């Protein structure tokens, strides 16, 4: 094969590999956020002190995290087996997220639980639903990221 063809073949191969690499990098950037180490803690009010509900999770996304929405819901509710949808989660409160590692943030949501809140809340198992939205627009919805008991 003449040198000119070899040079053109090598150049075309390099362009093709660069294109595949760029496509792979773009696809890697499109991954949905990943949740890990999710925990929920409920503390009932005692005496004259409010209780609290705290949810914490680690979220990894190569493009960064735009928001993490959190909703606690009773297992024996109208939400049934599936839990809230991503659309239903859009207007709920957001957690506060702080950097934890390269592409990972630790998100925490905390709210007070008053005596009135506790008295009006169903007893038993509750689930925590989350909607993580990355800066690139991809989302991850988990209707049962963690569980806790109200008793």
């Amino acid at each position: 094969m003449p040198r000119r063809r070899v040079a053109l073949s090598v150049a075309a191969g390099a362009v093709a590999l660069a294109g595949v690499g760029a496509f792979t990098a773009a696809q890697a950037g499109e991954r949905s956020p990943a949740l890990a180490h999710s925990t929920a803690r409920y503390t009932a009010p005692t005496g004259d002190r409010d209780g609290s509900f705290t949810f914490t999770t680690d979220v990894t996304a190569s493009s960064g995290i735009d928001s993490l929405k959190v909703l606690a819901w009773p297992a024996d509710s109208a939400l049934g087996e599936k839990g809230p949808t991503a659309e239903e989660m859009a207007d709920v409160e957001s957690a506060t997220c702080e950097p934890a590692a390269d592409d990972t943030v630790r998100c925490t949501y905390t709210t007070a639980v008053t005596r009135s809140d506790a008295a009006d809340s169903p007893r038993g198992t509750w689930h925590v639903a989350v909607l993580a939205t990355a800066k690139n627009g991809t989302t991850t919805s988990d209707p049962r990221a963690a569980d806790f008991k109200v008793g």
Side-chain angles (χ1 to χ4, degrees):
M1 191 182 288
R3 281 188 188 191
R4 184 179 230 173
R5 275 196 195 167
V6 170
L8 289 175
S9 295
V10 169
V15 168
L17 285 176
V20 169
F23 176 76
T24 301
Q27 292 297 340
E30 295 296 321
R31 285 192 193 129
S32 297
L35 305 170
H37 312 295
S38 300
T39 60
R41 188 177 75 233
Y42 172 81
T43 304
T46 57
D48 62 346
R49 299 182 73 164
D50 286 344
S52 65
F53 166 70
T54 302
F55 172 78
T56 303
T57 192
D58 292 340
V59 187
T60 302
S62 58
S63 68
I65 293 297
D66 186 48
S67 68
L68 182 81
K69 305 286 190 163
V70 179
L71 176 68
W73 59 281
D76 295 330
S77 72
L79 293 172
E81 290 291 315
K82 293 184 180 181
T85 64
E87 292 79 25
E88 293 168 327
M89 293 288 297
D91 294 327
V92 302
E93 294 184 20
S94 293
T96 302
C97 301
E98 300 292 330
D102 288 340
D103 293 335
T104 302
V105 294
R106 176 155 296 133
C107 299
T108 303
Y109 173 80
T110 300
T111 190
V113 177
T114 65
R115 280 188 162 292
S116 176
D117 294 335
D120 293 342
S121 296
R123 303 291 181 249
T125 301
W126 284 59
H127 304 298
V128 180
V130 296
L131 175 64
T133 303
K135 289 184 179 176
N136 67 6
T138 60
T139 62
T140 295
S141 179
D142 186 348
R144 294 187 176 155
D147 296 330
F148 64 97
K149 296 255 186 213
V150 173

